[in-house]
Amino acid sequence: MKVVTYSQQTAAPRSGGGQFLTAQLNPSAMMAPSRAAGAAFKSLAQTAGQVADLAFRKAEIDADSQAIQATSAYTVELDDIAQRSLLLSPGQAEATFQRDAALAKKKATVGFNRLATDAFNRRSATPTSTASITFKRTNNARYVDAANAVVTSAIDNAVDVGSNTGLT
């Protein structure tokens, strides 16, 4: 009977040391999963950035529409304040107008976020300055009319006194 014997397929090294019996790892192969994950996260970050930009743009549009509505109501309120203030004396009217206009501006932005408040401040600058200038012109004309009335009254009194022969 013949006995099967094992024959070595690779030659044993002659200069000492042995051969590696395990598979060697390739660094590129080890980095591949993390590179793929990095690419996926980069894509996710870009998508999230686009979503954030879209949401911010939507918030700006909402804030702008709130500011438009508030500005129109604020302009009407300024006209009402000017009319009510003109019923007072010229000195009181100016102080009342300034105080009530500042309060109306604060009241118009109650409940607004920062974007809406900024948009309102930008949009309300022109109506505020226009209403303020118009009111001050009207009120100053009232001052001039009052001064003219005082001067006219003083002249009339002086004429009466000067023409009254019974006083001498």
Side-chain angles (χ1 to χ4, degrees):
M1 168 161 125
K2 190 170 178 185
V3 177
V4 180
T5 59
Y6 173 76
S7 62
Q8 186 175 0
Q9 294 178 358
T10 59
R14 296 180 186 231
S15 61
Q19 291 182 329
F20 289 114
L21 298 177
T22 60
Q24 292 184 359
L25 297 177
N26 184 352
S28 293
M30 292 300 292
M31 291 291 294
S34 53
R35 283 187 182 150
F41 287 133
K42 184 177 179 182
S43 174
L44 179 64
Q46 288 174 345
T47 303
Q50 291 171 350
V51 169
D53 289 343
L54 182 64
F56 185 72
R57 183 66 187 135
K58 182 181 179 288
E60 282 180 331
I61 291 170
D62 289 343
D64 207 29
S65 67
Q66 283 180 333
I68 289 169
Q69 291 174 349
T71 302
S72 64
Y74 173 67
T75 304
V76 171
E77 181 70 20
L78 281 178
D79 291 339
D80 290 343
I81 290 169
Q83 294 304 316
R84 282 181 295 179
S85 296
L86 289 174
L87 298 175
L88 303 172
S89 69
Q92 291 174 336
E94 191 165 345
T96 302
F97 177 79
Q98 289 175 350
R99 183 195 67 223
D100 290 350
L103 288 174
K105 190 168 188 175
K106 289 285 186 188
K107 186 176 81 172
T109 59
V110 170
F112 282 9
N113 61 14
R114 182 188 56 83
L115 288 174
T117 301
D118 291 346
F120 174 78
N121 288 336
R122 280 191 309 273
R123 289 189 173 275
S124 68
T126 301
T128 300
S129 60
T130 302
S132 179
I133 290 170
T134 302
F135 175 78
K136 287 181 181 180
R137 281 183 184 161
T138 305
N139 202 39
N140 287 344
R142 292 175 59 204
Y143 271 118
V144 170
D145 290 343
N148 286 341
V150 168
V151 169
T152 303
S153 175
I155 290 173
D156 289 345
N157 282 340
V159 167
D160 286 345
V161 168
S163 65
N164 189 350
T165 56
L167 293 176
T168 55

